[in-house]
Amino acid sequence: MKQSTEVFASEIGKIGIFLGGRSQERAVSLRSGNAIYRALANAGFHVSKIDTSNGFLKTLKSKDIDFGFPALHGTGGEDGALQRILDRHRIPYVGSGVRASWNAFNKWNAKKRFVRLGIPTPEFRLVTRRNFKRLLQTCPPPYVLKPLTQGSSIDVVMIHTAREGQAHLRKLLHKYSKVLMEQKIVGRELTVAILGKRALPVIEIKSKRQFYDYRAKYEKGFTDYLVPAPLPPALTKQVKWIALRVHRCLGLRDFSRVDMIVDPSGRPYVLEVNSIPGFTETSLLPKAADSAGLNFTDLCVYLLKTAYERTQKKF
Ligand SMILES: Nc1ncnc2c1ncn2[C@@H]1O[C@H](COP(=O)(O)OP(=O)(O)O)[C@@H](O)[C@H]1O
Ligand SMILES: [Mg+2]
């Protein structure tokens, strides 16, 4: 194994780990990127970190990398922007391409595709500054409001009264031109990570807060994780199958993570899919991989190998 990793490390060459960026998820991305950097450096790979927040195009040329590993979350990294630049420079990279990244990142685009393909997702409306008064009258709470292009539960709010709806929509529409209004699903929260072409063990998320918000995600003690999720085998099979369908129907590559809620009758709903899920050592995809027997370093190397083999076939 060690020998073959050494050979692979010299074959793949210089790896640039893209991290940081300017999105509201910068802090999370720095943690993801640093964890990947440490793991690959310790495994003997030639790695460098590239913070995309300032003038990184110049850095990209001077650093002269052979392969990219995007560890960015949110705008500028998970939305296909970085991937477009890498394509232009003909630098191969881990993960999804430009179009798939954008379609997954934009929740409105993704949900429209889910509906077209019969993938169950909570009912939804697109709220704009023009239609919000009408929607407030015609859609009674409870519902969820969320930005179209954001992550880490940033600006996601649960609405229980008409008053709350009005106040939060005004605030959100001040910051974003469009907002997603979504049927609130009460049930068990699950996430299914995809690695290569298979679904990893399902994780159940038990947040101790009102929902799986930013603090529940990143501060210790607010959430319990059950891996593998204690679900009836038929439901496990069904949610894995749905997650694989989501991954494939959006044309995602190498890895992704599909968030879902299963209602008390056992019906699963897809909330969203992450094309670059959190990648700290305690993040959900690494947790699921670990439960499948792949430690954090193995996971990083596996992803590099998968992406490398894919790009070798293409060029
Ligand atoms: N329709 C919904 N019903 C109930 N809870 C929801 C719904 N949508 C989102 N949530 C809660 O908000 C969290 C974040 O929403 P999600 O759509 O996954 O966006 P993000 O990209 O911010 O992770 C979810 O993990 C879940 O706890
Ligand atoms: Mg999510």
Side-chain angles (χ1 to χ4, degrees):
M1 174 70 184
K2 190 158 188 297
Q3 172 70 19
S4 76
T5 302
E6 264 171 37
V7 174
F8 176 53
S10 77
E11 201 175 311
I12 194 164
K14 296 180 204 158
I15 299 158
I17 297 168
F18 294 91
L19 77 177
R22 289 178 206 233
S23 84
Q24 279 188 267
E25 291 183 271
R26 173 176 172 81
V28 185
S29 166
L30 288 174
R31 280 169 58 186
S32 291
N34 279 315
I36 296 169
Y37 174 83
R38 276 194 302 272
L40 290 177
N42 287 338
F45 287 85
H46 189 322
V47 273
S48 59
K49 289 189 260 187
I50 303 171
D51 190 329
T52 61
S53 62
N54 36 29
F56 86 99
L57 261 180
K58 274 187 225 129
T59 329
L60 184 62
K61 277 180 199 145
S62 67
K63 289 229 176 175
D64 183 28
I65 60 163
D66 301 303
F67 213 89
F69 199 138
L72 291 157
H73 310 307
T75 315
E78 209 171 342
D79 59 358
L82 169 69
Q83 291 76 2
R84 175 168 286 117
I85 293 166
L86 292 175
D87 282 349
R88 208 181 299 139
H89 284 75
R90 299 186 70 78
I91 296 170
Y93 51 91
V94 172
S96 301
V98 177
R99 185 194 282 258
S101 299
W102 173 247
N103 284 332
F105 184 60
N106 185 307
K107 291 184 169 76
W108 170 252
N109 280 358
K111 283 174 70 84
K112 276 195 301 184
R113 277 186 165 66
F114 299 161
V115 170
R116 219 178 297 142
L117 292 157
I119 294 168
T121 189
E123 276 192 41
F124 60 109
R125 301 272 184 281
L126 186 67
V127 194
T128 63
R129 286 167 195 154
R130 284 181 66 168
N131 71 4
F132 90 95
K133 282 193 182 138
R134 182 168 53 79
L135 284 178
L136 277 173
Q137 279 167 359
T138 52
C139 302
Y143 52 79
V144 183
L145 296 175
K146 52 177 103 166
L148 305 191
T149 52
Q150 196 59 277
S152 288
S153 300
I154 292 165
D155 290 331
V156 174
V157 269
M158 304 284 141
I159 301 297
H160 298 103
T161 65
R163 246 183 114 117
E164 276 178 350
Q166 191 161 22
H168 281 287
L169 258 184
R170 274 187 200 283
K171 233 190 276 170
L172 286 172
L173 286 171
H174 194 67
K175 185 165 170 189
Y176 305 96
S177 62
K178 291 170 189 152
V179 171
L180 199 64
M181 177 189 258
E182 195 173 73
Q183 171 197 8
K184 183 180 176 189
I185 310 294
V186 177
R188 294 168 73 176
E189 184 153 0
L190 308 174
T191 194
V192 188
I194 306 294
L195 182 63
K197 294 192 189 319
R198 69 186 173 130
L200 292 175
V202 180
I203 300 181
E204 178 165 6
I205 298 162
K206 285 178 155 304
S207 169
K208 295 172 190 165
R209 291 174 58 79
Q210 191 198 22
F211 68 103
Y212 193 38
D213 63 3
Y214 192 90
R215 289 187 78 187
K217 284 180 178 174
Y218 302 114
E219 283 180 38
K220 272 202 182 125
F222 285 123
T223 309
D224 292 328
Y225 300 97
L226 309 181
V227 209
L231 302 173
L235 184 56
T236 300
K237 215 170 144 186
Q238 188 190 8
V239 295
K240 282 185 169 182
W241 183 80
I242 292 174
L244 272 170
R245 248 194 112 209
V246 167
H247 181 85
R248 288 194 199 121
C249 89
L250 289 178
L252 294 168
R253 294 190 305 220
D254 305 340
F255 67 147
S256 68
R257 211 197 68 226
V258 181
D259 294 345
M260 295 187 211
I261 296 188
V262 178
D263 78 6
S265 75
R267 182 175 158 77
Y269 292 83
V270 173
L271 300 182
E272 59 137 0
V273 54
N274 303 280
S275 64
I276 309 182
F279 227 96
T280 68
E281 298 197 23
T282 52
S283 293
L284 298 170
L285 185 141
K287 251 194 214 355
D290 194 64
S291 145
L294 219 59
N295 69 29
F296 191 80
T297 304
D298 294 341
L299 170 64
C300 295
V301 176
Y302 181 91
L303 272 173
L304 270 182
K305 276 198 174 141
T306 308
Y308 184 68
E309 277 162 21
R310 171 170 52 71
T311 51
Q312 287 306 100
K313 272 184 215 148
K314 202 169 124 195
F315 291 111

